[in-house]
Amino acid sequence: MRFSANIEKLQPSATIAVSTLAKKLAAEGRDILNLSAGEPDFDTPVFIADAAVEGIQAGRTRYTPPAGIPELRAAIAARLSERGEHQASAEGVVVTAGAKQALFNAIFTLFGPGDEVLIAAPYWTTYPTLVELARARPVEVFGDEANGFKVTAAQLDRAATGATRGLVLNTPCNPTGAVYTLDELGEIAAWCKDHDVWLLSDEIYRDIHHDSSSPAPGILSLPESGLGPSVLVDGASKGFAMTGWRIGFSYADPEISKKLTALQSQITSNAATPSQVAALAAFSDVAAAARDQAAMGEAFRRRRDLVCSRMRELLPDVPFVEPAGAFYLYFRVDGLHGDGVDSATEWCSKLLREQGVALVPGGAFGDDAWVRLSFATSDEILEDAFRRIATMVGVGVTG
Ligand code: PLP
């Protein structure tokens, strides 16, 4: 069958594929521990869900303007203004069906044939595909393992060519959990500005920051003079446990946002109205949001500590990135090969087959020597998963 050149390189999302397989095996009755999912295990906070129900009952079920309900755009702009000196304007906010659509809108609007887009690696699996859908060329730039794979301006410099038009950066990072400091972000933003390269900063995990009671630094925390052409992507999915509601947003110069809105108006019109009403509560009721986010943050921090200590106890020779944000543990399995297993993909298949633990092989993120474990699940499941991993690699576990 012939398809258009637009989707020549299109593959289904690798992370969703693993998670779907794990759910299918569980539905067939297998005892599966699914640590492949990219979503918080918490229910959406009640004050947010209640707002949506009340909104539906009050008839808030029709189309909205493509860029979103004006009060929601204003509430998001107010929250963005708290991130630093920058006074964010509601005209710069475009509400989307998840952060994924905000990324698609930005990449499709800004890049095209002949353009190269740098992608800080390891990367979230969707970025290169979105760049290819725009018929531009994704270029992976790996940071140093010793630096949690965070990229530096010198590494960007080596990867850039005359065709480089953009950089996709993700902090806190999926899959590593690494968080860029404000200084590191400042250096990268300055490099982008000097080279007239668009900076797309995906900060969807910003609220899940383990080593501080404040969210992770982002580009709006930088002085305005240090930031060139850029698009911030964020949303409600991870920080408010709202993955299924599909609410994300982009923030950019209002002129760019008009183009992003025009594109969206031709594709999906607007993000689902009841979901926007729910997000309005999430972004407006600051006290309720802070209370619920603090409780979720506390659980994620405890689980982060748990998985790191099990790594040190049970797999002391296995390198991993100590996650400072998000809810993923990224560890290296090429030292654990054997029995005909010679990639993380095969290692993960064996783990799923023999021990019923689903992890995502690093091939999905640009390096198939590593795997990603999601710790957005209960302490009991995490303990059980580590027991099973240790059994497979032949380490005894007591207790
Ligand atoms: N960006 C990153 C780094 C992600 O990990 C994800 C989801 O896993 C997204 C964006 C997409 O978020 P949303 O569910 O809001 O589309």
Side-chain angles (χ1 to χ4, degrees):
M1 212 175 289
R2 258 187 70 148
F3 297 103
S4 96
N6 294 338
I7 61 158
E8 220 163 51
K9 298 184 179 157
L10 183 65
Q11 295 292 332
S13 160
T15 48
I16 292 179
V18 180
S19 182
T20 306
L21 175 62
K23 283 181 193 154
K24 178 174 168 282
L25 292 174
E28 287 167 7
R30 287 273 317 270
D31 171 23
I32 301 293
L33 304 179
N34 185 3
L35 306 189
S36 68
E39 59 184 343
D41 54 323
F42 303 108
D43 289 333
T44 300
V46 172
F47 78 97
I48 298 175
D50 282 350
V53 172
E54 282 161 26
I56 291 168
Q57 285 169 343
R60 301 191 80 176
T61 52
R62 299 175 196 279
Y63 291 133
T64 73
I69 300 172
E71 307 93 283
L72 174 57
R73 296 173 75 197
I76 291 171
R79 298 289 77 75
L80 294 177
S81 299
E82 291 159 3
R83 295 187 180 187
E85 306 298 301
H86 188 90
Q87 225 10 69
S89 73
E91 292 72 46
V93 176
V94 180
V95 179
T96 55
K100 209 176 230 178
Q101 190 185 16
L103 286 160
F104 173 80
N105 288 349
I107 288 171
F108 206 74
T109 300
L110 298 174
F111 312 121
D115 294 342
E116 291 182 359
V117 180
L118 305 179
I119 300 185
Y123 47 75
W124 180 48
T125 194
T126 291
Y127 301 139
T129 308
L130 293 183
V131 171
E132 282 166 352
L133 280 175
R135 302 224 222 159
R137 194 167 87 81
V139 177
E140 300 171 357
V141 187
F142 278 89
D144 290 336
E145 182 179 336
N147 191 31
F149 290 105
K150 290 187 278 186
V151 297
T152 61
Q155 286 159 338
L156 297 174
D157 232 17
R158 284 197 287 278
T161 69
T164 304
R165 296 284 171 269
L167 165 68
V168 184
L169 195 78
N170 176 212
T171 180
C173 174
N174 175 7
T176 62
V179 173
Y180 286 74
T181 64
L182 199 55
D183 284 350
E184 289 167 338
L185 275 180
E187 185 197 294
I188 288 171
W191 183 88
C192 289
K193 190 175 179 199
D194 289 350
H195 292 77
D196 200 18
V197 162
W198 281 95
L199 173 56
L200 265 58
S201 186
D202 179 350
E203 301 176 11
I204 188 74
Y205 293 98
R206 179 176 184 274
D207 291 328
I208 305 172
H209 188 208
H210 310 304
D211 296 326
S212 154
S213 52
S214 339
I219 57 170
L220 292 189
S221 323
L222 294 170
E224 230 168 307
S225 59
L227 198 56
S230 49
V231 179
L232 165 70
V233 172
D234 200 337
S237 299
K238 316 287 178 169
F240 289 109
M242 289 180 70
T243 48
W245 298 79
R246 312 306 302 130
I247 292 290
F249 64 84
S250 57
Y251 179 72
D253 183 276
E255 203 187 321
I256 316 297
S257 295
K258 271 192 206 139
K259 284 284 181 215
L260 302 176
T261 306
L263 176 64
Q264 176 159 301
S265 74
Q266 299 288 12
I267 300 175
T268 54
S269 295
N270 58 266
T273 306
S275 298
Q276 290 193 59
V277 174
L280 177 58
F283 288 105
S284 317
D285 193 340
V286 178
R291 182 198 58 216
D292 289 334
Q293 287 189 318
M296 291 190 272
E298 178 64 39
F300 283 132
R301 193 168 302 123
R302 192 187 62 246
R303 295 160 177 181
R304 188 279 305 260
D305 293 344
L306 172 69
V307 296
C308 290
S309 59
R310 290 299 168 271
M311 285 301 288
R312 291 193 180 97
E313 278 165 34
L314 298 172
L315 307 168
D317 299 326
V318 175
F320 66 96
V321 179
E322 177 142 2
F327 40 72
Y328 305 109
L329 178 77
Y330 194 58
F331 62 97
R332 185 167 183 162
V333 295
D334 51 352
L336 303 174
H337 290 166
D339 282 347
V341 168
D342 63 6
S343 66
T345 300
E346 288 169 15
W347 192 85
C348 287
S349 301
K350 186 168 184 254
L351 184 68
L352 185 55
R353 234 179 17 253
E354 294 183 2
Q355 299 292 335
V357 178
L359 306 182
V360 182
F365 314 110
D367 185 351
D368 210 29
W370 293 72
V371 300
R372 188 194 78 179
L373 175 155
S374 164
F375 54 84
T377 188
S378 70
D379 297 14
E380 294 70 33
I381 289 180
L382 291 172
E383 294 281 15
D384 193 3
F386 270 93
R387 262 194 296 273
R388 295 184 194 197
I389 293 170
T391 303
M392 186 172 96
V393 303
V395 183
V397 188
T398 50

